[in-house]
Amino acid sequence: MQPRFTLSADLQCSREPSGEAVAALERAVAEANDTLFVKGVPKGVPREEVGRITSWSVGGTTLHLVLESGGYTRAHDALFRFRKHLAGVLGKHQVGIREILVTRFAVVLTGDVPDSAIPRLPFIRSVERRSGTVTLDLAVSAADLEHRIPDRILNLVEEKIQAREYGGKTEHWELVYESGPKERVYQGNPTEEMEARHWIRHGASRGQWIYGPQAVQLFRAFQSIVEERILGPLGFSEMVFPKVDTWDVLSRSGHAKGVYPEIYYVCTPKTRDPAFWEDVSDHFKVTGEVPVDLVREKVDGPIGALCYAQCPSFWPFVQGRTLAQGTLPVRIFDRSGTSHRYESGGIHGIERVDEFHRIELVWLGTAAQTGEMAEQLHQVYRGVFEEVLELEWRSARVTPWFMAQEGMVGACGCETVGTTDYEAFLPYSGTWLEFQNVSVNGDKYPKGFNVKIQSGEPCWSGCSGIGLERWTAAFLAQKGFDPARWPEGVASRVGELKEIFRFL
Ligand code: SER
Ligand code: ZN
């Protein structure tokens, strides 16, 4: 996909250039074409690939310019280089440059560019196809050009073409470890049995459960195992992360690239004034129904999403800061609330839900420290699943979670950065359930939130999400509902199951 750029711009001068100033301008154009625009371009690149001013004229106080380029010193880059140069040249003649008006910006692409690869954005005024080329006529201001909007549009077209190519591929999955089969003592579906025993009941919302005392006894037992075997020994400290993620957080985390079909959106009232809301209240009082359309008119936002990935909302705590050497690796965790995902199609029992509970571990340090912490976690997790929960489980390298959540598939192509999923076998369905993960996220988060470490080495981070619903589903699916047959480490922590509710 070879781009060619044509840019017409009017530079408004503070006053009409004199004859001498115009002569200086002429020399400046020649100099720009001969040297200024060629600076930094690798040798051997054909001249027509490099930006040049192909025509110019002065009319009153306006300097009209036309620039053309291929991929090197793109027309818009050339324009700004020239403006800087020109400021000095014209300044000598007491002429200043006031503003730049972009009158035309066209990008011609050659090669196979399907319609589906061209984004629908207001910046793209028209798309014209001729034999073998596509011309994009862009509606862009000088500020847009300085923000490199054309380059970003082209990167996006490229990304969409690639997405089509890997569209047929599935997510990456590569086995790391397998525990081997364990004795099968139970074949039932744990959600159905928990419901029948009144341990859980559907909440009023989609993909939401209300967990009764017995289910929570299991949650707490798992939490205490995690505390004793993982958080304590590895030195993780508890924090409380926010549960509303603003667009700023989601932009920095990368989620803003593609998470839209899966988030729960958060809105705020347009005002707190009760009078503004009185008609809504009155409507409900008279009809017994909430007038949702009316409510929609009275809210602002959405301002962001309900907690989705759990770790992103931590990062503003360290944003823009440098971590002192002695504190590394920083190890923290959050278990203060729910995560929310608008799951597709069938919601399956407690293992695929819209609202779930998870302990999220986060660590930061050098690349080596971050990788080392992931290794230690793999070891302690393995200990827990082998010795305490006695699960039939396996682990696999998968598409990194941050890539998956940005809507990409495949491997990330790097040795050390990436996600390992832990999966448990579900005898009742014969399938494997992902119940937690461990990820080394590289410098993605420190970069996005501008976090540094004292030594000046790149800061890296990792995270690990422990899903309580998923642990419960995996455990009960394999071990059944008779505590006498549960592994001692779980049974003793759960204690006697509480029968708080009995129904007639
Ligand atoms: N933040 C990671 C995820 O959303 C790990 O919990 O998968
Ligand atoms: Zn995370």
Side-chain angles (χ1 to χ4, degrees):
M1 197 187 72
Q2 284 304 318
R4 278 207 71 79
F5 301 86
T6 308
L7 162 59
S8 305
D10 288 347
L11 280 58
Q12 291 302 333
C13 301
S14 57
R15 60 194 193 114
E16 199 174 325
S18 63
E20 269 172 40
V22 173
L25 192 61
E26 183 163 11
R27 285 193 299 276
V29 170
E31 202 185 325
N33 282 344
D34 291 344
T35 55
L36 188 63
F37 296 157
V38 194
K39 239 180 245 165
V41 174
K43 283 216 165 59
V45 170
R47 184 62 186 86
E48 66 268 19
E49 281 297 310
V50 187
R52 63 184 296 130
I53 298 171
T54 52
S55 102
W56 66 278
S57 63
V58 179
T61 56
T62 306
L63 165 59
H64 306 284
L65 288 180
V66 180
L67 297 103
E68 284 178 37
S69 78
Y72 294 88
T73 316
R74 295 178 169 189
H76 42 298
D77 297 328
L79 172 67
F80 294 116
R81 261 193 222 182
F82 185 62
R83 177 185 61 181
K84 204 170 159 207
H85 179 60
L86 202 57
V89 171
L90 290 182
K92 292 199 184 101
H93 301 273
Q94 282 76 48
V95 178
I97 299 163
R98 285 275 157 80
E99 61 170 338
I100 299 180
L101 204 75
V102 179
T103 52
R104 177 159 184 264
F105 192 101
V107 189
V108 182
L109 303 174
T110 355
D112 184 20
V113 184
D115 280 332
S116 59
I118 299 171
R120 284 170 299 158
L121 291 169
F123 292 115
I124 300 176
R125 195 185 281 139
S126 70
V127 180
E128 216 180 290
R129 288 186 178 276
R130 263 175 244 128
S131 57
T133 67
V134 189
T135 303
L136 307 182
D137 182 20
L138 300 191
V140 280
S141 65
D144 294 333
L145 295 185
E146 283 192 289
H147 287 129
R148 313 195 60 80
I149 297 288
D151 309 83
R152 292 185 198 204
I153 289 175
L154 291 192
N155 291 345
L156 182 55
V157 171
E158 195 72 60
E159 191 185 306
K160 285 180 190 285
I161 292 173
Q162 275 167 20
R164 263 170 45 116
E165 280 163 15
Y166 66 51
K169 283 193 201 159
T170 47
E171 295 216 343
H172 180 72
W173 192 93
E174 189 192 326
L175 185 70
V176 175
Y177 175 84
E178 208 165 8
S179 71
K182 296 268 151 73
E183 192 198 347
R184 298 277 150 79
V185 299
Y186 181 73
Q187 293 292 333
N189 175 334
T191 301
E192 286 169 9
E193 182 139 3
M194 283 173 71
E195 261 190 298
R197 291 168 179 255
H198 307 305
W199 286 19
I200 58 170
R201 197 173 189 198
H202 271 293
S205 191
R206 182 186 199 274
Q208 178 193 59
W209 293 93
I210 307 168
Y211 297 96
Q214 304 93 329
V216 176
Q217 282 179 271
L218 260 181
F219 281 7
R220 295 293 172 253
F222 293 146
Q223 276 186 346
S224 90
I225 292 167
V226 170
E227 273 168 31
E228 274 171 46
R229 303 277 307 225
I230 296 155
L231 302 172
L234 296 186
F236 280 79
S237 300
E238 185 163 8
M239 285 183 69
V240 173
F241 301 168
K243 294 295 173 282
V244 172
D245 295 352
T246 63
W247 297 128
D248 181 61
V249 164
L250 297 170
S251 301
R252 292 174 185 279
S253 73
H255 285 97
K257 285 186 197 155
V259 83
Y260 305 100
E262 278 185 36
I263 47 179
Y264 273 82
Y265 291 84
V266 176
C267 292
T268 51
K270 282 205 162 92
T271 152
R272 273 215 55 173
D273 177 8
F276 179 77
W277 289 95
E278 197 170 333
D279 51 352
V280 174
S281 308
D282 290 349
H283 189 281
F284 177 78
K285 287 174 188 163
V286 171
T287 65
E289 274 165 29
V290 177
V292 178
D293 288 332
L294 188 56
V295 170
R296 202 175 282 126
E297 287 170 21
K298 289 174 181 281
V299 291
D300 268 338
I303 57 166
L306 281 184
C307 170
Y308 172 91
Q310 199 159 347
C311 56
S313 65
F314 150 75
W315 284 87
F317 193 78
V318 285
Q319 187 172 339
R321 291 181 170 163
T322 302
L323 298 165
Q325 205 59 27
T327 62
L328 304 179
V330 167
R331 287 148 287 173
I332 47 167
F333 72 98
D334 170 80
R335 55 172 172 201
S336 68
T338 45
S339 294
H340 300 260
R341 291 189 184 181
Y342 191 79
E343 288 290 355
S344 61
I347 291 160
H348 301 285
I350 64 162
E351 55 260 36
R352 182 170 293 279
V353 285
D354 278 27
E355 179 175 309
F356 57 99
H357 302 78
R358 153 172 76 176
I359 308 173
E360 173 88 351
L361 283 57
V362 180
W363 58 101
L364 296 79
T366 62
Q369 286 170 327
T370 306
E372 168 65 17
M373 184 48 64
E375 279 315 311
Q376 289 186 29
L377 278 168
H378 287 307
Q379 281 179 24
V380 288
Y381 281 139
R382 182 168 164 170
V384 167
F385 303 135
E386 299 282 302
E387 296 154 22
V388 188
L389 269 56
E390 299 173 17
L391 286 180
E392 181 169 340
W393 66 285
R394 65 185 187 188
S395 63
R397 299 263 300 174
V398 299
T399 303
W401 66 267
F402 49 85
M403 278 175 60
Q405 293 176 7
E406 283 166 15
M408 298 192 269
V409 294
C412 87
C414 25
E415 269 296 299
T416 42
V417 174
T419 293
T420 302
D421 272 353
Y422 283 70
E423 303 178 349
F425 188 68
L426 302 178
Y428 79 90
S429 63
T431 57
W432 292 83
L433 173 69
E434 177 209 324
F435 62 94
Q436 65 167 43
N437 60 26
V438 173
S439 299
V440 172
N441 304 326
D443 64 1
K444 181 184 169 69
Y445 278 82
K447 262 206 169 131
F449 290 86
N450 186 26
V451 182
K452 300 201 161 55
I453 53 182
Q454 192 178 359
S455 66
E457 289 167 86
C459 181
W460 275 35
S461 77
C463 70
S464 173
I466 301 174
L468 290 178
E469 280 87 352
R470 299 263 175 115
W471 272 44
T472 304
F475 180 81
L476 291 174
Q478 290 188 20
K479 306 294 174 194
F481 284 73
D482 178 4
R485 304 193 62 178
W486 288 354
E488 174 53 27
V490 178
S492 64
R493 282 184 172 86
V494 170
E496 203 182 323
L497 289 163
K498 290 187 199 165
E499 287 272 334
I500 304 295
F501 292 96
R502 248 178 252 125
F503 299 102
L504 304 181

